[in-house]
């Protein structure tokens, strides 16, 4: 089992930036796709971004495309989410998860992620 551990959340003003990190404990991340998801109060958990095993293919939710960048360093067993031009609507708990698959469009589907971190809070003030 892979246990993702998120870090890097916090409070930031609108227009600011944060970088989230997701480190894997237990087995390595390197054989799997990894995704970031978020859940705002009273809302369902939603897909934000994902990256395939090798790191050469990425996927984004439309609302974050162009503002967020997902990347990975397999040597460090870590996946990152760089978030720029943050908006109050980005406020949520952000979760990192390990996919069943190495890549492909299934990386957008949270049902295909068996291993989840505890989440990190991101709050964007207006």
């Amino acid at each position: 089992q892979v246990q993702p551990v998120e870090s890097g959340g916090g409070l930031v003003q609108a227009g600011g930036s944060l970088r989230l990190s997701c480190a894997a404990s237990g087995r390595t991340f390197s054989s799997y796709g990894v995704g970031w998801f978020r859940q705002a109060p009273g809302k369902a958990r939603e897909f934000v971004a994902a990256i395939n095993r090798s790191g050469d293919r990425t996927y984004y939710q439309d609302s974050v495309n162009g503002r967020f960048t997902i990347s990975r360093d397999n040597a460090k067993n870590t996946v990152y989410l760089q978030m720029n031009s943050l908006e109050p609507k980005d406020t949520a708990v952000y979760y990192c998860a390990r996919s069943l698959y190495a890549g492909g469009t299934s990386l957008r589907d949270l049902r295909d992620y068996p291993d989840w971190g505890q989440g990190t809070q991101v709050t964007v003030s207006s």
Side-chain angles (χ1 to χ4, degrees):
Q1 184 179 3
V2 176
Q3 180 58 55
V5 179
E6 305 96 337
S7 62
L11 173 64
V12 64
Q13 289 188 331
S17 298
L18 282 174
R19 188 175 82 155
L20 305 183
S21 297
C22 176
S25 64
R27 295 172 62 187
T28 179
F29 261 161
S30 64
S31 299
Y32 306 100
V34 175
W36 285 96
F37 299 80
R38 66 186 180 188
Q39 188 166 17
K43 294 189 177 182
R45 192 170 298 189
E46 63 176 4
F47 168 78
V48 174
I51 189 165
N52 70 348
R53 177 179 61 185
S54 59
D56 61 355
R57 186 69 187 267
T58 56
Y59 307 83
Y60 295 97
Q61 183 197 104
D62 287 347
S63 70
V64 308
N65 199 14
R67 299 189 297 124
F68 292 9
T69 302
I70 188 171
S71 61
R72 67 190 301 162
D73 184 338
N74 285 339
K76 295 183 177 180
N77 217 19
T78 302
V79 174
Y80 305 97
L81 185 67
Q82 178 67 43
M83 305 186 295
N84 298 329
S85 302
L86 283 161
E87 303 170 2
K89 66 180 182 180
D90 296 315
T91 294
V93 177
Y94 282 70
Y95 297 90
C96 174
R98 191 269 300 181
S99 174
L100 287 169
Y101 304 106
T105 56
S106 294
L107 295 185
R108 294 180 177 273
D109 190 342
L110 62 82
R111 295 171 297 180
D112 289 329
Y113 286 80
D115 298 319
W116 292 80
Q118 293 300 307
T120 185
Q121 177 71 46
V122 172
T123 303
V124 184
S125 64
S126 58

